[in-house]
Amino acid sequence: MVNRNVLTLDEFTLREMHAFPRATGELAGLLRDIGLAAKRVNVEVNKAGLVDILGNTGDINAQGEEVKKLDEYANSQFTGVLRHGISCAGIASEELDDIVGFDNAISRNSKYICMFDPLDGSSNIDVNVSIGTIFTVYRRVTDTGALVKREDFLQPGIRQVAAGYIIYGSSTILVYATKRGVNGFTLDQSIGEFCLSHPGIHCPESGKIYSVNHGNFFQFGTRVQQYLADCQQKNETNGGPYTQRYIGSMVADVHRNLIKGGIFLYPGTQQRPNGKLRLLYECNPLAYIIEIAGGKATDGKQRILEKEPAELHERSPFFIGSKKMMEEFEDETK
Ligand code: AHM
Ligand code: MG
């Protein structure tokens, strides 16, 4: 039985807004726009096998990767709602080479910018495995009224105003964080609304799951290798051996670990010292969410949220998860 008494995403964000007497409603509007794009993407993801939307477009994106049709669809939906909404001055996306400033009077006067990975876990699209969208919101640093600049986007993660993700999985869920907390909303397909299903998410201090692409094991540094070997041993202090779970869609892997407790690792490799994951729109939003939920995220040396970005699409090694598991990882690899 669906509980009709739960708050919708709009009701929740408006209620949150009332906690700030000077709030303009722009952030609430931006989250509503993101929710709308997510619903549209959800519809396409759900019927993906039935319509001609699986497979590649034949294009290569800014990262030199093949673009899937659904990547492109999701990118255009998120870009479109933000361009036509009243809360976003510009965007950056995994699928676009450069930033896009929205050149109309309303957008130029908006105080927020948004970055996103429209469809994360692209390699899972064609095989019906969970995929997701990751997004983050910053206050621009340049004055409103003008077009946004790159410096509005190249901000450290600590300055995020809100961050979130959507998982298109066995159910579709939108999780977002502000400094007031992390909350999850499940899409009630019968009324087409995201409804509060996971209020006040807190990441367990410890867990039993580690998530890593073991195929890369021999390309990791020796300390990471030793840590992974320890994850597989019976261990008095960590309660091991741990269980290994790796979906290959980071949103789904991190979401599971956020709820159940666990650690996710995407270390640098010999070929790719900075790993694979993009700092600005993959690592930072998830790091912000996990920290608000009580967990930790680092690049192996420093806190992800304190990294000063130099490039829009720069990559970073990424370690994220439950507080105690992260501390144990840091102790073993320092
Ligand atoms: P994508 O944005 O092109 O989909 O790449 C990011 C994804 C993450 O979701 C996932 O954790 C990782 O790539 C998997 O990579 P690998 O196949 O190297 O393990
Ligand atoms: Mg991605």
Side-chain angles (χ1 to χ4, degrees):
M1 208 38 178
V2 178
N3 179 358
R4 300 285 187 212
N5 295 321
V6 291
L7 290 175
T8 65
L9 178 64
D10 285 0
E11 289 168 334
F12 182 85
T13 50
L14 288 171
R15 216 174 251 211
E16 288 279 287
M17 189 184 99
H18 291 312
F20 298 94
R22 292 211 309 276
T24 57
E26 267 189 76
L27 184 61
L30 202 145
L31 287 162
R32 187 186 51 234
D33 293 342
I34 288 173
L36 172 62
K39 284 188 245 178
R40 289 180 177 157
V41 172
N42 176 65
V43 168
E44 291 306 308
V45 167
N46 271 292
K47 62 182 186 198
L50 299 172
V51 291
D52 183 28
I53 197 142
L54 293 178
N56 301 331
T57 61
D59 294 333
I60 302 290
N61 72 8
Q63 331 284 316
E65 297 156 348
E66 283 180 336
V67 178
K68 303 268 179 191
K69 290 181 193 166
L70 266 174
D71 278 330
E72 200 172 81
Y73 179 80
N75 188 55
S76 70
Q77 290 306 320
F78 282 95
T79 307
V81 292
L82 294 169
R83 186 192 294 278
H84 298 122
I86 58 163
S87 312
C88 184
I91 55 135
S93 160
E94 180 179 320
E95 299 302 331
L96 301 170
D97 294 359
D98 207 350
I99 62 166
V100 176
F102 298 143
D103 199 2
N104 62 73
I106 294 175
S107 301
R108 281 197 310 270
N109 278 301
S110 302
K111 60 177 183 255
Y112 296 115
I113 62 98
C114 192
M115 290 187 264
F116 47 84
D117 178 354
L119 219 47
D120 185 58
S122 305
S123 61
N124 283 326
I125 291 176
D126 294 349
V127 288
N128 219 8
V129 173
S130 294
I131 46 183
T133 297
I134 309 173
F135 64 91
T136 176
V137 180
Y138 288 78
R139 210 164 271 122
R140 61 190 290 182
V141 292
T142 56
D143 292 336
T144 52
L147 263 185
V148 287
K149 300 207 174 96
R150 279 174 81 88
E151 65 227 58
D152 293 317
F153 296 83
L154 298 180
Q155 300 191 52
I158 193 88
R159 297 222 196 107
Q160 288 169 101
V161 173
Y165 58 77
I166 299 113
I167 302 176
Y168 312 97
S170 47
S171 57
T172 294
I173 181 166
L174 183 154
V175 173
Y176 89 90
T178 63
K179 62 177 187 252
R180 286 170 61 81
V182 184
N183 293 281
F185 302 80
T186 301
L187 183 59
D188 177 348
Q189 311 266 7
S190 60
I191 57 167
E193 292 285 353
F194 283 104
C195 296
L196 183 62
S197 52
H198 297 64
I201 296 174
H202 184 80
C203 181
E205 281 217 324
S206 206
K208 292 242 173 245
I209 295 171
Y210 75 106
S211 316
V212 70
N213 184 341
H214 257 292
N216 293 334
F217 184 86
F218 291 105
Q219 296 184 49
F220 296 148
T222 50
R223 292 200 176 106
V224 171
Q225 287 179 342
Q226 186 55 53
Y227 171 78
L228 293 175
D230 289 347
C231 287
Q232 299 167 58
Q233 316 253 338
K234 189 155 177 54
N235 181 322
E236 296 288 303
T237 52
N238 70 9
Y242 292 157
T243 293
Q244 205 276 348
R245 291 279 182 272
Y246 190 72
I247 296 167
S249 289
M250 178 168 60
V251 181
D253 277 313
V254 170
H255 177 70
R256 182 203 50 237
N257 294 359
L258 172 69
I259 303 292
K260 289 190 164 184
I263 184 170
F264 172 95
L265 311 92
Y266 206 113
T269 60
Q270 280 154 16
Q271 279 96 7
R272 289 176 160 180
N274 287 326
K276 175 182 184 189
L277 301 169
R278 274 58 53 127
L279 175 63
L280 289 179
Y281 43 79
E282 292 183 320
C283 305
N284 269 337
L286 297 180
Y288 181 82
I289 295 165
I290 205 97
E291 284 204 9
I292 303 268
K296 292 187 88 176
T298 78
D299 68 356
K301 295 195 181 96
Q302 75 175 123
R303 192 176 164 211
I304 285 288
L305 296 182
E306 288 175 359
K307 283 176 80 105
E308 288 285 345
E311 298 287 338
L312 202 53
H313 297 293
E314 79 184 55
R315 297 174 196 260
S316 171
F318 195 39
F319 307 95
I320 179 168
S322 294
K323 185 164 175 281
K324 284 200 172 138
M325 295 174 89
M326 283 295 295
E327 284 165 358
E328 184 186 300
F329 168 77
E330 283 165 334
D331 275 356
E332 286 194 34
T333 53
K334 68 180 172 222

